[in-house]
Amino acid sequence: MRCPYCGWEGQKVLDSRPARDGDAIRRRRECESCLRRFTTFEAPEIPRLFVVKRDGSREDFRIEKVLNSMMLACRKRPLLLESLKLAADRIERELISRFEEEVASNTIGQMVLEELRDIDVVAFVRFASVYQEFSTIEDFKKMIESVRRGSRLKEKSLAI
């Protein structure tokens, strides 16, 4: 690795510590030539995963797209961005562990729905309305009723 300031290849590591919730190592370095300090991150290379879309086209999986769709569903909701980032990270880890090369976009959509159901019911319904292409008020009624039934089931299981 070269110094970003002078291009010299020699440097010494001053400090190393875990970063990004243990998924990377942060190293503070000092160039042996110009003595300037800089930070590097070392992380495992994530396998390349392709998303197969509804029309059959393929594109690289990008966690940013998952997070952005979740943020859109949660717009103007009293939620912490950190909870959405953690949910998106869980989705990414599960995808990488379950699929080697390709994953259908509807699988990702289902995973987002599951995460949003636990985070915020309103965001869950918003995302579902777009993801499942609601076209009538009846579609919304069915979704809301299924959410109500699900919450009643959770209440009953907690009471036992």
Side-chain angles (χ1 to χ4, degrees), residues 13-19 24-29 40 42:
V13 175
L14 304 174
D15 180 44
S16 290
R17 62 181 62 173
I25 297 174
R26 176 188 179 274
R27 299 193 195 280
R28 192 72 181 140
R29 299 174 181 266
T40 60
E42 181 181 324

Side-chain angles (χ1 to χ4, degrees), residues 48-52 59 95 98-103:
R48 193 167 182 190
L49 186 64
F50 290 97
V51 177
V52 181
E59 66 179 45
L95 289 172
R98 284 180 49 199
F99 302 95
E100 289 187 25
E101 295 177 3
E102 295 181 339
V103 61

Side-chain angles (χ1 to χ4, degrees), residues 140-157:
F140 280 97
K141 285 181 182 177
K142 288 177 190 174
M143 176 58 70
I144 291 169
E145 188 53 40
S146 75
V147 169
R148 282 187 180 144
R149 279 193 309 268
S151 65
R152 278 192 232 127
L153 290 175
K154 284 182 185 178
E155 289 171 11
K156 286 180 184 178
S157 66

Side-chain angles (χ1 to χ4, degrees), residues 39-103:
T39 302
T40 60
F41 288 91
E42 181 181 324
E45 186 174 1
I46 296 173
R48 193 167 182 190
L49 186 64
F50 290 97
V51 177
V52 181
K53 304 189 82 149
R54 289 179 185 172
D55 65 0
S57 64
R58 288 169 170 68
E59 66 179 45
D60 283 330
F61 171 78
R62 292 193 0 245
I63 191 67
E64 298 83 22
K65 287 186 79 170
V66 172
L67 182 59
N68 287 340
S69 67
M70 293 173 80
M71 288 171 53
L72 187 59
C74 295
R75 190 167 176 242
K76 295 189 179 183
R77 299 293 301 153
L79 299 171
L80 295 174
L81 178 60
E82 189 61 28
S83 65
L84 297 179
K85 286 181 178 179
L86 291 172
D89 287 343
R90 282 191 297 271
I91 290 169
E92 181 180 39
R93 277 195 291 277
E94 186 173 342
L95 289 172
I96 289 170
S97 70
R98 284 180 49 199
F99 302 95
E100 289 187 25
E101 295 177 3
E102 295 181 339
V103 61

Side-chain angles (χ1 to χ4, degrees), residues 121-160:
V121 177
V122 172
F124 167 76
V125 173
R126 285 179 179 171
F127 186 85
S129 71
V130 174
Y131 170 68
Q132 295 176 347
E133 299 176 344
F134 289 5
S135 58
T136 66
I137 292 174
E138 289 304 313
D139 295 334
F140 280 97
K141 285 181 182 177
K142 288 177 190 174
M143 176 58 70
I144 291 169
E145 188 53 40
S146 75
V147 169
R148 282 187 180 144
R149 279 193 309 268
S151 65
R152 278 192 232 127
L153 290 175
K154 284 182 185 178
E155 289 171 11
K156 286 180 184 178
S157 66
L158 290 174
I160 293 175

